[in-house]
Amino acid sequence: MASWRNGTLYIGVTSNLMARIVQHREGTFDGFSKRYGVNRLVRFAMADTMEAAITREKQMKVWKRSWKIELIETDNPTWRDLAEDWGFEPFPTPIPSS
């Protein structure tokens, strides 16, 4: 998840991506993602098991920021909100370009 292009990034694990997108977009929970407006799905990956997903999350959380940005831009160079592909409304302001 990201606040905007090259903005604040959030890496997490969930067993229900749709519900988690709603939580981020609506700011349901106080904390990091709500405080920094991290509400756009810019990348996601599936894992065979929750254990594998958690292992990958822990690896990525210690990556350099530049590596995370490179990974996002490999699949989503414009940082488009992928949640819109599943019927979520676009945010009123576009993600600023770099």
Side-chain angles (χ1 to χ4, degrees):
M1 304 290 291
S3 56
W4 57 77
R5 184 182 191 128
N6 295 318
T8 304
L9 302 175
Y10 172 86
I11 297 171
V13 171
T14 183
S15 60
N16 187 335
L17 183 57
M18 296 303 158
R20 193 69 179 116
I21 291 168
V22 170
Q23 291 168 346
H24 276 276
R25 290 172 73 91
E26 294 180 357
T28 304
F29 298 108
D30 289 335
F32 179 87
S33 58
K34 183 175 180 178
R35 182 175 34 239
Y36 293 101
V38 181
N39 51 21
R40 291 169 167 86
L41 180 68
V42 293
R43 186 176 189 284
F44 69 96
M46 305 294 286
D48 291 333
T49 65
M50 185 56 79
E51 181 179 288
I54 291 168
T55 298
R56 181 68 169 155
E57 173 197 28
K58 288 178 180 179
Q59 291 171 342
M60 293 175 71
K61 283 192 173 190
V62 297
W63 280 14
K64 292 180 181 181
R65 178 178 171 79
S66 61
W67 298 351
K68 296 172 191 177
I69 290 171
E70 184 177 336
L71 183 63
I72 292 165
E73 291 184 348
T74 296
D75 296 326
N76 188 0
T78 63
W79 292 59
R80 189 174 63 80
D81 185 0
L82 304 176
E84 292 176 20
D85 293 348
W86 296 309
F88 287 88
E89 291 293 320
F91 283 99
T93 55
I95 298 175
S97 59
S98 54

